[in-house]
Amino acid sequence: MVTVNTIRSFWNEKAKENAYWFVSSARPYDGQRDLDEFWTSGRHIWSQLKLSIGYQPALSDHVAEIGCGVGRLTRVIAPEVNRLEAFDISDEMLAIAKEADLPNVTFHHAKGFGLSELADCSIDLVLAYCVFQHLPSVE
């Protein structure tokens, strides 16, 4: 049976195995990852997302990022908003994301499938990029 703990365990193991590949499999699994290219891809993705959804960040915005992984998008969103709440189920992924030391980001260890840490109507944008395909069911 799939539970929050089995999902957490799976993603912690994958992060230990090859965190950057499990965030983006755009490069060969066995190859040496070009981290400059990896982080730069976050800027490109964020630009495309903003264009696609018509979002224009404001320095007053409060954003929630679900499934932040190692922080590829977190790093490029943070400078454009006031506060960013970044969630991930994996301790290992969060440890890498926190290395960026972003002063306006609070990293949250996801407790399940809710966002109880956030007050109702407190967020200007909720973003989940390449996350939903990892959920165990529609429910």
Side-chain angles (χ1 to χ4, degrees):
M1 176 177 193
V2 177
T3 67
V4 170
N5 288 333
T6 60
I7 295 169
R8 179 173 291 116
S9 178
F10 173 86
W11 283 107
N12 280 334
E13 288 304 313
K14 296 307 171 193
K16 290 176 192 173
E17 183 181 319
N18 192 337
Y20 300 100
W21 189 84
F22 281 98
V23 169
S24 171
S25 58
R27 300 290 179 259
Y29 179 85
D30 293 332
Q32 179 66 25
R33 189 62 187 247
D34 178 348
L35 290 182
D36 287 336
E37 177 275 329
F38 176 83
W39 298 118
T40 298
S41 72
R43 286 193 290 277
H44 175 72
I45 293 164
W46 179 230
S47 293
Q48 291 299 311
L49 286 170
K50 290 186 294 186
L51 185 64
S52 295
I53 64 174
Y55 177 65
Q56 296 180 10
L59 291 177
S60 60
D61 283 356
H62 193 177
V63 173
E65 180 187 7
I66 301 167
C68 68
V70 297
R72 178 172 60 160
L73 292 179
T74 311
R75 289 179 180 215
V76 295
I77 297 169
E80 297 185 14
V81 300
N82 182 44
R83 292 285 318 146
L84 177 56
E85 310 291 336
F87 291 81
D88 205 274
I89 200 160
S90 168
D91 311 288
E92 300 292 331
M93 293 282 190
L94 285 172
I96 296 169
K98 289 176 181 178
E99 291 174 3
D101 195 28
L102 302 165
N104 64 330
V105 176
T106 302
F107 289 99
H108 300 273
H109 185 240
K111 296 174 181 69
F113 303 114
L115 300 173
S116 61
E117 297 88 345
L118 304 177
D120 289 348
C121 301
S122 66
I123 301 295
D124 298 293
L125 174 72
V126 177
L127 175 68
Y129 179 75
C130 291
V131 174
F132 291 131
Q133 73 271 22
H134 300 298
L135 298 177
S137 70
V138 173
E139 293 80 27

